Amino acid sequence: MRNAQFGELPLNQESEVNECVYSPDGNTVAMGLRNYKICVYSTSNWETLWTLEGHSKYVSRIVYSPDGNQIATSSYDNTVRIWSTHTGNCLHILDGFDGEVNGVAYSPQGDQLASASDDMKVKLWDVVSGECSHIWIGHTEYVRNVLYSPKGSQIASYSGDYTVRLWSIETNECLHVLRGHTSYIRHVAYSPQGDQVASASDDNTVRLWDTSTGECRYVLTGHTHTVFSVVYSPNGKQLASASWDHTARLWDTGSGECLHVLQGHTDEIQKVVYSPQGDMVVSASNDSTVQLWDTATGVCIQTLTGHSGKVSSIDLSPQGDKIASGSYDKTVRLWDVRTGVPSRPVSSGHTGVVYQVKCSPRGDIAATCSGDKTVRLWDIKTGVCHQTLRGHTSNVSCVEFSPQGDQIATGSDDETVRLWSVDTGACTHILVGHGNWVSKVIYSQQGDQLASASGDNTVKLWDVTSGQCCCTLTGHTNTVKGIVYSPSGSQLVSYSDDRTVRIWDVETGECNFTLHGHDYMYFNNLVYSPRDNQVAAVNSDSTVRVWDVDIGECRHIFIGSDVRVWSVVYSPRGDQIASGGEDGAVRIWDTEASTCLWTLSGHSSGVTRIVYSSRGDMVVSASDDKSVRVWDLSSGQ
């Protein structure tokens, strides 16, 4: 990081910026303005995707859902609003508060919201229905904010009564009341492991608490003014604190020792964040600058100047290569850490975020679908766009080529599916029937049938020749996110935010089995085995589950670590499964013996995609660390 150069791209706002937050995938940034609006930008071209309007007072908090499909905002107008990042529409207005709402947080599973407000209550909300599911009462002053533990089993709330309370999600009981601070608590953070909570206070101290016993392990002293923000390093071994004494401090969480005092700012520090690798801390200050610090030495690597007002908020992209800073000077500045080149938009033809790209079966054409309501067909050799398909009236969320490559299907937030001729670009059919956005489209192997999945909780099967709906598959109780045909085409598998997988008979439309077991709402991938007798699903609950499609039973549960699994694939013979996830490891599993054959370590960030070679003797893995690795399965190297 010492030799990195930096660039900037100012985005002028109509009002002062009080918060900026990256989406989980880094594709968008949400900016909270002091005129009560929220602007959402695409990070690919820095075009405004949505301006979220509805709050009538200051917006106190902005959070993305874990899957990035929603934004929740809390406001001093006594409401919480849930917004769709696909449409920009307000999905729910959560009211019933008797005071200003100071904070809001999503559960790690994404199915629940917690809110903190001046009425001294902590409320839990069902994200799907927008209904309040529980109210916790115990604080004797306003509740400043709430946060979930990493595994979602606890909630921590902190209040103007100088206490932190830990609540059990399972029993709805108050587990511990953490007392010790002698003035207002400004910020609280959980350690990545969830075994510790740090609290920062106007009493100039940071306290580290044991979440299982509620005991204070360390009181960190040294700051001479309010400690405004605290954050744990990704591995939990360090804690950074930001203070109004113009310094930040790095602490050893195991011993409570102060490792470094970061001196360089000339005014109050509002926030500190760690890089994903933990080798850098970024600080934002009222002195109009952002500073970057080496966590090993405590040395300032770089001072980013350009703002003319207080820097109120900073956030790093999930990859750690971009910094977004928001300021009272009414600008957002986007700094490129990796190359030093300003993050200027690259023209690709689309004027909105590109949601998906697909290559034709012949490999000569690529299709892209976008939030600009269009689909574009590109010549892969020349990079020239030779068709722009217009007709959808909202975001085009998915695109798929037919097996023959002469047709494409597109699904949109306008609740329709369209079929297009690749040769002429003409729309041949408009498939109408869904009652919500279309999340996925897929052709059968023969290309005579199309399946579509939707936010209306259904799957529809369509005749490609006539454009008529053959069957509507009902049973899911939440958005259907993915669908896969079996290799023989006789079955269809769907997975949904209701935490279930369903196996359907394509001929009769009947549900053969409903597969339960995953703990989280969000499925990241699902694949059929080549033998047509198994399905493997990966979910944010850190497991790979293998199901027998003939009897609907779970045959194996593969657990390699306690982080999310993003990708899974069968070997060509179906005797192995490869999985990859957040910890950067690729794991090879024996589908018969239910054992882990290899743990392939080398990536320094999450594994996003894995493929087997045609002979099954090698796997190739792609990662967020910007590398591709080829592994020999005979040696595990």
Side-chain angles (χ1 to χ4, degrees), residues 354-412:
V354 178
Y355 288 117
Q356 197 172 22
V357 59
K358 287 284 186 176
C359 290
S360 65
R362 295 190 297 268
D364 56 340
I365 298 172
T368 55
C369 60
S370 169
D372 64 9
K373 309 175 188 178
T374 71
V375 179
R376 287 178 177 260
L377 303 183
W378 308 81
D379 186 297
I380 288 180
K381 289 184 179 179
T382 66
V384 174
C385 175
H386 59 80
Q387 295 276 7
T388 301
L389 313 182
R390 294 182 171 89
H392 284 296
T393 59
S394 189
N395 297 333
V396 186
S397 52
C398 51
V399 62
E400 191 73 39
F401 276 92
S402 66
Q404 296 77 22
D406 59 341
Q407 191 181 76
I408 62 169
T410 57
S412 169

Side-chain angles (χ1 to χ4, degrees), residues 51-67:
T51 299
L52 312 181
E53 300 183 59
H55 285 299
S56 58
K57 289 186 179 180
Y58 177 80
V59 177
S60 54
R61 195 75 56 185
I62 304 170
V63 291
Y64 277 88
S65 62
D67 65 352

